[in-house]
Amino acid sequence: MAAPPTRLDNRIVLHFDYDCFYASAFEVEQPVLKSLPLAVQQKQIVVTCNYEARRRGLRKLQLISEAKKVCPDVIIVLGEDLTKFRDASKDLYLYLRSFVWGDRVERLGFDELFLDVSDMIEYNVDVLNRNDLENSFFHLDRHDPTIGFAYDATRFHGPTFPPDSEIVSDRLSAAAWSEAETLHIKLLVASHLAGYLRRQLEHQKGYTATVGISTCKAVSKLTGNVHKPNNQTTLLAPYDARENGPESNVIRFLDSHDIQKIPGIGSKLARSLKDHLLNSGRGLDSADGAPPTDNKTTVRDVRLFPGMGPVLLEKILGGPGSPKGIGIRIWNLIHGVDDSEVLEARDFPTQISIEDSYRQLETFEEVRRELIALATSLIRRMRIDLTEKTEVEDQTADSKTDHSLNPKTRWLAHPRTLRLSTRPRPPANSSGVRTYSINRASRSAPLPQYVFNLEENMDALGERLVHDLVIPMFRKLHPEKSGWNLSLLNVAVTNMVESAGEQKRSSGRDIKRMFQQQETILKEWKVPELDSAQPDIDLPVYEDSTWEESDEDEAIPSVICRICSAPIPHFAQAAHEVYHSAPD
Ligand code: DCP
Ligand code: MG
Ligand code: MG
């Protein structure tokens, strides 16, 4: 058996997942909904529902008709227009980002965030007073010791894995400050930061989140799942196994997980691993004496399989089409070692795309009308995500008062390219069943400058853009006169070029000002979001895998999503596509 990978646990990473995100966006607008069962509908499905609805038996990705049966008094709201969720996602991202030193804040889809808080934690561990841990103070600003919050550093905030509340104060008093315990105290301090951020998010923004606290992205994401919703989990040290010492908590935590649940190991890789373990004759019993089972292959089964290591993994998973070094990457992952960094925050997305799916789109007039609607909403989104209000301060007035600021809008970035994509609906096969397709045809062209004119009316710009450019592109994609039977239209701008001038904003530094005029500043900041769920280019780090839960509705016949490999029930395909194509 190959040696386990070397651990480098010098970072602290928090993973945030907002609770019932779309439903919360409605609850924030109408707090009365919080205590009622609430479901968000897209097409014929419940894309999400609040926890009151879940308590009454509703589930994500359930048919609306079924939901109404299960809970007749369910309140249904429409969630096909993603504007509300995009805006909330961006607002919460900017809010949490404003606390973090070093700006390593990465979005994953709409409702997840990774925060690399290593610097803040290191600083706060350094300033702890070992003689009075109970009355500790967490510094949120290096330059102003008054900004922060009081906490008790003799214990963890919130639940831990393994659940253990005894061990802590003991450890801290004795050999606690040795090198080996550094991770322990870092995690402890981080658990208080996570608790504080969750409270702030709830009180200032009205959203609750579930947080995982560990040393890398993959493990903190998984750790968060232990206590859901509105809670947090810290994966306790030690992470490295010691001879005759305590076992590694990461290994203990990961071992019982289905291999497919590991972020970075999607269903395709999991399938190959399962097949190998089952077919290589020795079965799974090598790991724990249990007979091989078809439905669950755990991390432990893979890790302890005879001969397992980076070389064997490369043999099983490598080959044409798979990324280089996949063997070592997966070997690391099953030991909870994920060295992918939390990416530095960006001030604007790498692309913006707007699309809609259709049952029937056959005539030219329909296509033209839809393209104008999409182009207009693309321009609206560009104005939100790619511009910022620069504040010209009136030197003579008190800078704290809002009306002393004279906002002027400027473009942060100019996309150079416009792309049109369409998806023809494949013909029905001989048995009358349509096979599902996500194959898109697309065409790109330079984006004309006039779309950046902020004085011009958006509808007029949308119409002009469609007539000048999008319709000719459409004609090239579909030279036939009619009968295209399209199921999807997508317009996107890509190839962003950052405007010159502005210095990169560094968060942490701004925290004092933020505390003083929190509301004003957050309202005024028009900094666009990071675009992390792009449909067909620049996918996140783990291209061939899923970070998303995929255990919904396993009994329902489903198709495998070609983007994330998750099994998607037939009725949920439309919503699932919306999910992937959401530009941020
Ligand atoms: N979403 C979607 N289609 C999917 C999955 C999710 O449209 N197939 C949307 C609706 C969710 C949001 O994305 O509100 C976030 O997805 P989550 O899986 O995190 O679900 P929730 O945040 O709603 O619930 P939870 O409390 O389980 O995190
Ligand atoms: Mg969520
Ligand atoms: Mg999520």
Side-chain angles (χ1 to χ4, degrees):
M1 175 117 37
T6 315
R7 306 202 62 91
L8 273 178
D9 292 311
N10 51 5
R11 292 180 299 151
I12 298 291
V13 175
L14 312 185
H15 174 262
F16 277 70
D17 185 322
Y18 308 127
D19 301 320
C20 55
F21 181 54
Y22 286 10
S24 297
F26 287 94
E27 291 176 351
V28 164
E29 287 177 348
Q30 278 180 279
V32 64
L33 294 172
K34 282 188 184 179
S35 53
L36 303 168
L38 176 69
V40 182
Q41 173 171 6
Q42 275 178 359
K43 311 289 178 197
Q44 282 315 303
I45 337 160
V46 173
V47 275
T48 194
C49 50
N50 69 3
Y51 279 81
E52 177 56 26
R54 293 188 204 187
R55 208 176 55 76
R56 303 210 200 173
L58 262 59
R59 286 170 299 115
K60 297 191 261 186
L61 298 189
Q62 191 169 32
L63 276 173
I64 288 285
S65 54
E66 206 180 299
K68 284 179 177 165
K69 260 184 244 153
V70 177
C71 177
D73 55 343
V74 61
I75 296 172
I76 294 172
V77 287
L78 294 181
E80 277 178 35
D81 179 357
L82 303 179
T83 311
K84 192 198 303 292
F85 316 127
R86 273 201 189 103
D87 291 345
S89 172
K90 173 172 157 184
D91 184 43
L92 302 181
Y93 160 70
L94 288 176
Y95 182 64
L96 287 171
R97 181 181 160 186
S98 68
F99 289 92
V100 174
W101 304 357
D103 230 10
R104 292 211 169 262
V105 178
E106 182 182 342
R107 290 173 69 184
L108 184 66
F110 273 172
D111 98 320
E112 289 176 50
L113 275 182
F114 293 104
L115 272 50
D116 184 327
V117 293
S118 313
D119 291 352
M120 309 177 79
I121 297 304
E122 225 153 86
Y123 180 90
N124 278 285
V125 168
D126 283 347
V127 299
L128 278 178
N129 176 2
R130 299 177 215 186
N131 300 312
D132 191 17
L133 288 171
E134 271 179 48
N135 299 302
S136 296
F137 188 80
F138 193 107
H139 294 275
L140 288 166
D141 186 331
R142 265 186 261 243
H143 307 298
D144 184 341
T146 64
I147 294 174
F149 58 92
Y151 70 106
D152 174 0
T154 62
R155 51 180 194 84
F156 277 81
H157 182 90
T160 58
F161 179 94
D164 196 341
S165 46
E166 306 295 298
I167 183 171
V168 180
S169 40
D170 265 11
R171 281 197 178 194
L172 288 188
S173 52
W177 301 88
S178 72
E179 191 61 34
E181 300 301 334
T182 307
L183 178 58
H184 180 83
I185 185 73
K186 278 191 194 171
L187 290 166
L188 184 147
V189 173
S191 74
H192 289 275
L193 174 62
Y196 174 81
L197 294 177
R198 284 177 43 237
R199 282 194 301 279
Q200 292 300 310
L201 196 68
E202 185 170 7
H203 296 145
Q204 303 296 335
K205 297 289 173 184
Y207 286 79
T208 64
T210 297
V211 177
I213 302 138
S214 186
T215 55
C216 66
K217 293 203 290 188
V219 177
S220 57
K221 181 172 159 72
L222 268 187
T223 305
N225 291 340
V226 178
H227 295 278
K228 235 172 157 344
N230 194 11
N231 212 334
Q232 64 182 65
T233 309
T234 308
L235 184 57
L236 294 180
Y239 285 12
D240 53 345
R242 295 169 220 178
E243 231 170 300
N244 305 322
E247 65 173 330
S248 157
N249 280 332
V250 197
I251 299 297
R252 182 169 156 199
F253 174 65
L254 291 182
D255 259 4
S256 59
H257 282 80
D258 192 312
I259 189 75
Q260 194 179 325
K261 289 272 185 244
I262 305 302
I265 303 184
S267 57
K268 212 178 91 203
L269 295 184
R271 187 74 262 156
S272 308
L273 288 168
K274 288 178 192 201
D275 286 349
H276 181 86
L277 264 60
L278 285 172
N279 296 335
S280 61
R282 285 174 283 194
L284 295 179
D285 44 10
S286 49
D288 51 11
T293 47
D294 200 14
N295 46 14
K296 191 175 177 191
T297 300
T298 64
V299 170
R300 181 184 165 85
D301 294 331
V302 177
R303 192 172 61 79
L304 296 182
F305 191 77
M308 192 48 77
V311 177
L312 180 55
L313 284 167
E314 187 74 40
K315 227 169 83 192
I316 303 170
L317 305 171
S322 58
K324 250 181 98 187
I326 188 155
I328 184 74
R329 185 161 68 85
I330 301 301
W331 181 242
N332 285 345
L333 274 179
I334 64 177
H335 289 84
V337 176
D338 169 17
D339 46 23
S340 69
E341 295 223 50
V342 176
L343 299 180
E344 200 164 325
R346 273 183 283 175
D347 285 333
F348 51 85
T350 56
Q351 71 164 14
I352 300 174
S353 104
I354 304 282
E355 70 179 22
D356 207 344
S357 52
Y358 308 92
R359 232 172 241 295
Q360 194 92 355
L361 203 53
E362 283 181 326
T363 70
F364 180 73
E365 198 33 51
E366 284 169 342
V367 168
R368 195 183 75 91
R369 201 182 52 225
E370 291 306 324
L371 287 175
I372 292 174
L374 292 173
T376 306
S377 91
L378 180 67
I379 291 166
R380 178 176 301 112
R381 202 67 222 171
M382 282 169 60
R383 287 188 180 180
I384 295 171
D385 286 355
L386 298 179
T387 68
E388 72 169 356
K389 289 219 181 347
T390 50
E391 294 155 359
V392 183
E393 287 195 28
D394 178 347
Q395 298 295 322
T396 57
D398 178 2
S399 63
K400 280 183 198 165
T401 51
D402 197 10
H403 44 80
S404 70
L405 305 172
N406 169 20
K408 204 171 149 269
T409 307
R410 69 184 277 274
W411 288 95
L412 281 165
H414 293 82
R416 292 279 188 253
T417 306
L418 178 75
R419 187 184 61 218
L420 168 71
S421 313
T422 65
R423 190 186 54 210
R425 181 175 273 110
N429 64 20
S430 54
S431 55
V433 177
R434 285 184 197 280
T435 50
Y436 179 66
S437 155
I438 62 163
N439 289 335
R440 295 176 182 209
S442 65
R443 194 137 194 127
S444 298
L447 182 68
Q449 286 298 311
Y450 60 72
V451 300
F452 299 113
N453 183 356
L454 292 165
E455 313 283 303
E456 183 64 274
N457 166 293
M458 287 189 287
D459 296 292
L461 283 178
E463 198 161 336
R464 181 170 171 198
L465 188 63
V466 168
H467 284 182
D468 286 1
L469 199 60
V470 187
I471 287 181
M473 288 161 89
F474 182 84
R475 297 272 191 219
K476 292 231 169 72
L477 275 180
H478 301 284
E480 325 79 64
K481 281 267 173 298
S482 62
W484 315 288
N485 194 7
L486 300 172
S487 62
L488 178 129
L489 291 174
N490 173 307
V491 288
V493 286
T494 64
N495 203 359
M496 300 286 175
V497 176
E498 185 167 8
S499 311
E502 182 87 333
Q503 281 262 308
K504 197 157 173 40
R505 212 181 304 276
S506 148
S507 39
R509 192 175 65 198
D510 299 330
I511 199 139
K512 182 172 180 186
R513 190 160 164 244
M514 193 197 83
F515 266 75
Q516 287 166 344
Q517 13 172 340
Q518 201 160 64
E519 288 313 308
T520 317
I521 290 190
L522 287 171
K523 236 182 272 157
E524 286 303 313
W525 274 17
K526 290 281 185 219
V527 186
E529 64 221 85
L530 169 67
D531 182 1
S532 57
Q534 298 143 7
D536 49 8
I537 56 164
D538 291 347
L539 283 168
V541 194
Y542 299 102
E543 298 90 6
D544 59 342
S545 59
T546 173
W547 281 84
E548 297 303 319
E549 302 300 324
S550 56
D551 56 351
E552 313 284 346
D553 299 298
E554 260 161 8
I556 297 176
S558 52
V559 292
I560 299 299
C561 170
R562 294 250 300 267
I563 299 172
C564 71
S565 305
I568 310 299
H570 289 284
F571 63 76
Q573 279 171 21
H576 189 77
E577 283 181 63
V578 172
Y579 177 68
H580 276 304
S581 59
D584 41 317

